[in-house]
Amino acid sequence: MATDAVAQLADSLAKTQVTEGELSYKGQGRKFDNAQSVEEIVKEIQEFKGLQALRLEGNTYGVEAAQAIAKALETKSEFKYCYWSDMFTGRLRSEIPPALNSLGAALMTAGARLTVLDLSDNAFGPDGVKGIEKLLKSTACHTLQELRLNNCGMGIGGGKILAAALTECYKQSSAQGTPLGLKVFIAGRNRLENDGATALAQAFQLMGSLEEVHVPQNGINHPGVTALATAMQHNPQLRVLNLNDNTFTKKGAIAMAQALKHLRSVQVINFGDCLVRSEGAIAIAEAITEGLPILKELNLSFGEITGEAALLVAQSVEGKATLEKLDLNGNCLGEEGCDALREVMDGLNMGDLLGSLSDDEGEPEEEDDDEDEDEEDDYEEEEEDDDVEEEDSSVNQVSSPPSVPRSPDASSFLCFPSPDKLLKLGTKRALLFEQQVDVADAGKTAEAFLKISSVYNEEDKDVKSAVLDSIDAILRKAFASPSFQGYNFISSLLVMLGLLKSEDKVKPVRVVPGHLQALEYVVRQDYFPQDHIAVLEAFMSRHIQALESCSSSRNILKSTLEQVRPEN
């Protein structure tokens, strides 16, 4: 859960190496209010030759005390490591900026070149960020590799100031031929929200050097998550990505899945408590299947993920020899789903890598069965509307001069599909659909597929051929586009067929045999990505009421999926 993630992060922050040339006052719990109270510290700093690291954490320092320590640091040109977390407990917020200003100014005066700056657990807010703004922009931070600002209460304003300072540092260091190469960024529990995260994402994208990013518990929703996802694509050495306890939802999860496809060095993914949901989990599973060869840990706990999506996640880690842990606890698998997940992991010889499922939320409650009846009513209304259109056309012909009947078009068919309309589109129907359907939109492409395949008729060769030619044209064009999100197409298809719940409250269509028969044809085509086979196979194997009326077509599709499934 979120509290566990924060505890783990705190532990990792504490596990810093003892550096050569280090002077430590860590964890003494002392209160230093003025210059006199730090005379001993000042003397030791002055007498320490080659000082590289100073640990001040776990004590509390007033402005005068900080200024006295700063004065002693002004001659320490070899200084590299600032371990200054939790050093203002009990202080007024107004005291913190001047204290930080004096310490930062001293490092600039000394000509220090920092490697680590740790100011975590100092609740200094946006004003505290202003206190280190000059330092971050200076040459002292051109060499910075680790910036740790966990639990500082920066807020949106502080996030924007920090982003601007890092951007300026990168630009100035680049102008001098040594661009900032920040590797570790930690800023959990800072209330960055979307605007703060987006501002930082722009800086991250510019730097392109990050190896670890930890921003848990920041109130970031899908716009901020999407911005971070885009930035991560430009950081090819990224190893650890921790966004625990933010809110992805489908949009954010799909954006992050797309980013993961561009990364090969990721070892740890923590998207626990992020509400990735089933659609997002499917997208992430596909990204893992396609890449991430050295993945060690995957946390998708407490994300409202259902059993089928969880199985796909499990299947995605097959062959990941470096995997150490898969956490899917706290989702919506149900007892049978948990058993099935354990069985899959055992079958992969990875049973011991699956984390506890003790907090599983159980299967989600089924929605009312009225939907199928409502959908039937909708179909009947559509047919009635179509008849009314024809009747109105007849009335118009009686009351007005005879006119040439209007030729059917693709848009008319997609509004009210019928075999007759499809055939009347003529031999150019495939081209007409290509022009009509926006294949850049995976959802609209899936909708068009279902509309066209709904009139499929195995017994009518002309209609069958017209359906398959039209579908071929649309999907071949869609999957040929590098920007087409195939996993989004598949999840949209599953949602519209009523096989997968969506956060968008999409009302499913009434499944007809043609939908499954056309899909059976599509999965055999060379343009259909093999990565999607496992997804379809998992959902076609479910016992779902929506598929019961098409059992024969479903069995044929299942058989074909087994045949075309890629060999491991």
Side-chain angles (χ1 to χ4, degrees), residues 7 18 22 35 63 146 258 314 321 339 500 509 516 553:
V18 176
E22 176 182 285
V63 176
E146 299 184 18
Q258 183 65 25
D339 290 342
L500 177 65
V509 302
L516 306 185
S553 299

Side-chain angles (χ1 to χ4, degrees), residues 226 228-236 238 255 258-260 262-263:
T226 299
L228 288 170
T230 300
M232 293 306 102
Q233 294 184 37
H234 297 269
N235 288 266
L238 189 70
Q258 183 65 25
L260 291 174
H262 295 266
L263 302 170

Side-chain angles (χ1 to χ4, degrees), residues 35 38 42 62-74 98-99 102-103 106:
V38 292
V42 168
V63 176
E64 289 185 16
Q67 289 173 340
I69 292 171
K71 187 67 177 176
L73 288 171
E74 287 182 354
S102 60
L103 290 166

Side-chain angles (χ1 to χ4, degrees), residues 18-26 28 38-57 59 61 69 72-73 76 79 81-84:
V18 176
T19 309
E20 183 182 353
E22 176 182 285
L23 190 57
S24 177
Y25 303 95
K26 178 180 177 181
Q28 295 182 6
V38 292
E39 283 181 351
E40 181 184 345
I41 294 176
V42 168
K43 183 180 179 182
E44 290 183 349
I45 291 174
Q46 290 172 337
E47 294 177 352
F48 199 117
K49 293 182 180 180
L51 181 66
Q52 295 183 27
L54 178 62
R55 290 187 176 275
L56 298 175
E57 66 263 54
N59 302 291
Y61 303 84
I69 292 171
L73 288 171
K76 304 301 175 180
F79 196 78
Y81 307 97
C82 302
Y83 298 117
W84 297 346

Side-chain angles (χ1 to χ4, degrees), residues 169-187:
C169 182
Y170 178 81
K171 289 180 178 178
Q172 289 189 14
S173 60
S174 296
Q176 295 181 17
T178 54
L180 171 65
L182 190 67
K183 294 181 179 180
V184 177
F185 180 85
I186 298 177

Side-chain angles (χ1 to χ4, degrees), residues 105 179 283 365 389 489 551:
E365 293 182 7
E389 279 187 2
F489 167 79
S551 57

